[in-house]
């Protein structure tokens, strides 16, 4: 797939990143993250794999994008470390991440920082974790 075809990944012609990423099922996020974590980092993965990992009717692009944001947040920062146990993200992280507002970024457009309010995201994860049962 060439760069031009990825530019319209979201179907909005790269004109706006104001549309939020659709909410997803936390179980789909868990399936994708668990599978990707178990792969060799040099393994090529296609969207068909993600389709098979997600529940029927899932917005696979949204699941992939939200999983990618979680990997970035947990890999490039230690913000989520309190909610990582034996390499697995706490259910609270997945539950919040499944619905938290995230902007759609376009290929080829330079942005600063994450496409979400990281401080608010962590606050909501903390609140969900404290209110939930581990």
């Amino acid at each position: 797939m060439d760069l031009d075809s990825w530019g319209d990944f979201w179907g909005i012609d790269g004109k706006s990143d104001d549309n939020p990423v659709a909410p997803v099922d936390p179980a789909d996020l868990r399936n994708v993250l668990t599978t990707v974590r178990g792969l060799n980092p040099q393994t090529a993965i296609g969207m068909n794999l993600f389709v098979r990992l997600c529940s029927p009717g899932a917005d696979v692009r949204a699941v992939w994008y939200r999983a990618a944001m979680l990997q970035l947040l947990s890999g490039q920062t230690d913000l989520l470390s309190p909610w990582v146990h034996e390499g697995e993200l706490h259910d609270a992280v997945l539950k919040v991440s499944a619905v938290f507002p995230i902007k759609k970024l376009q290929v080829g457009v330079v942005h600063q920082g994450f496409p979400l309010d990281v401080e608010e995201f962590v606050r909501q994860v903390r609140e969900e974790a404290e209110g939930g049962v581990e």
Side-chain angles (χ1 to χ4, degrees), residues 28-44:
D28 290 341
L29 277 176
R30 167 95 50 217
N31 289 342
V32 166
L33 289 167
T34 300
T35 300
V36 170
R37 192 181 82 226
L39 295 175
N40 178 324
Q42 297 179 358
T43 302

Side-chain angles (χ1 to χ4, degrees), residues 44-62:
I45 336 171
M47 270 307 206
N48 288 334
L49 173 63
F50 296 112
V51 169
R52 289 193 310 269
L53 293 171
C54 294
S55 55
D59 183 337
V60 177
R61 286 183 173 124

Side-chain angles (χ1 to χ4, degrees), residues 109-122:
V109 179
V110 177
H111 296 273
Q112 296 295 319
F114 290 99
L116 66 140
D117 181 339
V118 175
E119 190 174 301
E120 178 62 16
F121 177 78
V122 171

Side-chain angles (χ1 to χ4, degrees), residues 3-19 21 65 103-111 115:
L3 185 59
D4 289 336
S5 59
W6 274 94
D8 191 26
F9 182 77
W10 295 112
I12 57 176
D13 299 325
K15 295 176 185 159
S16 170
D17 59 8
D18 295 334
N19 301 320
V21 176
Y65 192 74
K103 292 180 183 177
K104 295 176 180 175
L105 299 182
Q106 296 300 307
V107 172
V109 179
V110 177
H111 296 273

